[in-house]
Amino acid sequence: MRKRGFHLISGLVVLSVVGLAVWLGVSSVSTLATLEPTGPGEPTGQASSGTEIVNPMRGQYRWGGTNKWGSFEGQLFPSAGNPGYRAEQQWPGAKISYYRFTWAEVQPDQDDFSFARIEAELEKATTRGEKLGFRIMPADNCCAPMPEPLTVLPGWLTGLGVNQWTYRGFDAAVVVPDWNNPEYLAAMTALIAKLGEKYDGDPRIAFIDMLGYGNFGEWHSYPMNQEYPRNPGGQNEITPANLKALVEANVQAFRRTRLLSFTANPEALAQAMAARSDIGIRMDCLGDATGGSALLNIMANPAATVRWTTAPVVTEWCGANFSQTAEIPAGSNFDFFRADVGQDLYRVGRGQVDRWHVSLLSSGNFPFAYNGGVMAEGQWQDFVAANTMSGYRYSVAAAGAPVRLPGSNRVQVTTTWTNSGVAPTYDAWQIVLELRLKGSPTPIASTVSVLDLRTLYWGDGDGGLAPVQGRRTMTDLITIPDSAPAGDYEVVVRVRAATAQPDSAGTAKLPGLGLDTAMPQLGKAEYSAGSLAINR
């Protein structure tokens, strides 16, 4: 039995080529690379085609929201323009766009909540057939497209008596508020509530990073905290009580749209994990040995270690692997962190995707995305593997020949489903089995399988989980209507969304899901599970 758990020693995942991978929405399949074993470690639970399958809430997402990386912002990697890559290596697509807004952009005046910038990015994403994830930042000392000092905070906060000071370091200067100022907290809570009124339940949105505090909006105050306490006003770290209040404001405002909790602040992470099981995890330093300490915080929180079973782990590549051995706690449970110190960013990231069950990875914020260099072959293989193994990869591993039950008008269909990815889907999908006359696109009968793909993943009881299998055999019945003519029939399998979603034209449709399967493909996201003759 394949094991997965947060304290397994980091291993490299073997992806074997065993069939046809389908990229939903295009007429051809883009094969990125054949992935070979590169080191010790357990393979994924089932063999995978090793080809990227573009599906919702998994794989590479379109990373944007700063101007530092110039023309590569918002592009998938690799894309045309990245030196050293052949056209056939161009990344085939994504289903998620991501953007970071400043507070000043979305609320230029106290009573003016301007959603134009958010709506513009939503329109871009929808036109591409993608959903949008976003963040709103109250501070950013790195890369915001603003003059110095970076005016990420709206200017009207000063008139409310919110103490501020200017921090200078890294790439820029930034105005930092007093995080504990009652007026700051009231204004931020009002912004959260207004965003909830506007966007909670909006089907165009994939997720929202919890907002309210910290540099880059990441719920930490590094590097400004190196100068705390700070005058005027003696600004200091945000208090646990105020952290709790901001987390609760997010939880109350967004009951239908998925929230992601940051991992840099242990208190805020604990509050978010306790609030709801559908709140996911955001980790913004993939490839660093400790994820910028975020992985240490996850490991210390039992609920966070298993949150991947009910909500996604979303990551962003780190600029470098900078963690030092001295920062890692003593004890054998932390040996795998020490082993990753000083190793190649992409090799470490590949192992972390497997170990921490990552669903989404950024298309930017790593050196080769913007510096004009060329990845070594080993780095490229690790980068491809990290992306293709992420999230879910469902397939029909086997299908028994459809059988008409004796003396009955029912057809029995047996299918074996497996998930060769590192996490489940977190959305509701329906497995539909249709009975069609051969050559006809129209079903004469259909049924929805009882299998819920959200329950199909690999786990071995680590972290308090009950043992779970990522492979399951289902038997479903299709009732033949009395009006069905005699003839040769085919059973067609497809996976569709449980609820309608808007397409690029705004029309509500039931999108399909691409499978990693050796079953014959009949059309876009449709597969044959076998045939039978019906005699009258």
Side-chain angles (χ1 to χ4, degrees), residues 487-509:
D488 293 328
Y489 284 81
E490 190 161 33
V491 174
V492 175
V493 177
R494 61 190 180 94
V495 182
R496 70 185 182 195
T499 56
Q501 304 290 329
D503 63 9
S504 59
T507 303
K509 292 185 176 180

Side-chain angles (χ1 to χ4, degrees), residues 356-403:
W356 302 97
H357 307 276
V358 170
S359 286
L360 286 163
L361 299 83
S362 64
S363 67
N365 201 48
F366 53 92
F368 290 106
Y370 49 80
N371 69 0
V374 178
M375 283 182 177
E377 182 61 23
Q379 292 175 313
W380 170 243
Q381 294 287 334
D382 288 333
F383 178 84
V384 171
N387 281 275
T388 56
M389 78 170 72
S390 65
Y392 56 88
R393 293 180 70 93
Y394 293 113
S395 66
V396 181
V403 176

Side-chain angles (χ1 to χ4, degrees), residues 18 203 315 410 503 524:
V18 293
T315 64
R410 293 185 296 176
D503 63 9
K524 186 169 66 175

Side-chain angles (χ1 to χ4, degrees), residues 151-172:
T151 52
V152 177
L153 278 175
W156 51 265
L157 280 175
T158 305
L160 298 181
V162 177
N163 297 323
Q164 302 172 12
W165 61 287
T166 300
Y167 173 83
R168 296 185 181 276
F170 286 172
D171 297 340

Side-chain angles (χ1 to χ4, degrees), residues 295-319:
L295 297 176
L296 297 174
N297 293 336
I298 293 175
M299 193 166 173
N301 185 306
T305 61
V306 298
R307 182 49 53 95
W308 65 272
T309 63
T310 59
V313 177
V314 178
T315 64
E316 174 182 296
W317 285 99
C318 218

Side-chain angles (χ1 to χ4, degrees), residues 10 12 38-39 317 343-352 378 382:
S10 181
L12 300 178
T38 55
W317 285 99
Q343 300 302 307
D344 183 76
L345 179 78
Y346 308 99
R347 176 57 56 92
V348 174
R350 177 178 178 168
Q352 289 173 340
D382 288 333

Side-chain angles (χ1 to χ4, degrees), residues 57-357:
M57 284 302 292
R58 65 152 308 278
Q60 189 176 140
Y61 66 87
R62 196 181 300 275
W63 182 84
T66 74
N67 69 349
K68 185 172 184 176
W69 317 130
S71 61
F72 295 125
E73 166 146 345
Q75 292 190 24
L76 298 175
F77 182 86
S79 296
N82 289 117
Y85 289 99
R86 301 182 299 274
E88 61 267 26
Q89 290 179 318
Q90 185 162 321
W91 204 258
K95 289 294 183 181
I96 303 290
S97 291
Y98 178 74
Y99 203 87
R100 293 174 182 169
F101 306 97
T102 68
W103 188 355
E105 285 180 287
V106 298
Q107 195 179 2
D109 293 302
Q110 185 175 4
D111 297 322
D112 179 14
F113 296 91
S114 176
F115 300 119
R117 287 288 297 112
I118 298 176
E119 287 296 324
E121 293 302 321
L122 281 166
E123 183 176 355
K124 290 179 188 176
T126 302
T127 300
R128 291 191 294 252
E130 301 167 0
K131 291 189 176 186
L132 181 69
F134 69 86
R135 176 190 309 180
I136 296 176
M137 302 182 294
D140 178 359
N141 80 309
C142 175
C143 326
M146 301 288 178
E148 290 196 77
L150 298 178
T151 52
V152 177
L153 278 175
W156 51 265
L157 280 175
T158 305
L160 298 181
V162 177
N163 297 323
Q164 302 172 12
W165 61 287
T166 300
Y167 173 83
R168 296 185 181 276
F170 286 172
D171 297 340
V174 61
V175 175
V176 184
D178 178 358
W179 306 111
N180 295 301
N181 183 284
E183 294 295 340
Y184 170 86
L185 294 167
M188 177 56 73
T189 300
L191 172 63
I192 294 169
K194 185 62 70 172
L195 285 166
E197 291 175 13
K198 175 71 174 177
Y199 290 117
D200 187 31
D202 191 320
R204 301 173 298 170
I205 295 175
F207 58 83
I208 296 175
D209 295 343
M210 278 194 175
L211 62 149
Y213 163 63
N215 198 15
F216 317 119
E218 292 179 353
W219 293 68
H220 66 78
S221 57
Y222 180 83
M224 295 89 83
N225 58 0
Q226 297 176 343
E227 298 192 20
Y228 284 150
R230 180 78 184 192
N231 287 320
Q235 287 100 322
N236 215 322
E237 291 281 15
I238 192 168
T239 66
N242 288 334
L243 274 175
K244 181 178 180 180
L246 288 174
V247 170
E248 183 61 21
N250 280 271
V251 171
Q252 293 300 319
F254 296 100
R255 296 176 179 272
R256 293 172 293 165
T257 294
R258 187 177 304 283
L259 290 170
L260 300 182
S261 169
F262 288 98
T263 46
N265 188 293
E267 291 87 357
L269 177 63
Q271 290 289 339
M273 294 298 97
R276 279 205 318 256
S277 63
D278 65 342
I279 295 175
I281 286 177
R282 176 98 201 178
M283 195 274 281
D284 277 3
C285 211
L286 183 72
D288 174 64
T290 68
S293 79
L295 297 176
L296 297 174
N297 293 336
I298 293 175
M299 193 166 173
N301 185 306
T305 61
V306 298
R307 182 49 53 95
W308 65 272
T309 63
T310 59
V313 177
V314 178
T315 64
E316 174 182 296
W317 285 99
C318 218
N321 182 1
F322 54 80
S323 284
Q324 301 297 314
T325 302
E327 303 167 12
I328 300 171
S332 59
N333 281 350
F334 299 92
D335 283 348
F336 63 87
F337 288 117
R338 280 183 282 275
D340 283 343
V341 171
Q343 300 302 307
D344 183 76
L345 179 78
Y346 308 99
R347 176 57 56 92
V348 174
R350 177 178 178 168
Q352 289 173 340
V353 168
D354 188 32
R355 174 189 296 279
W356 302 97
H357 307 276

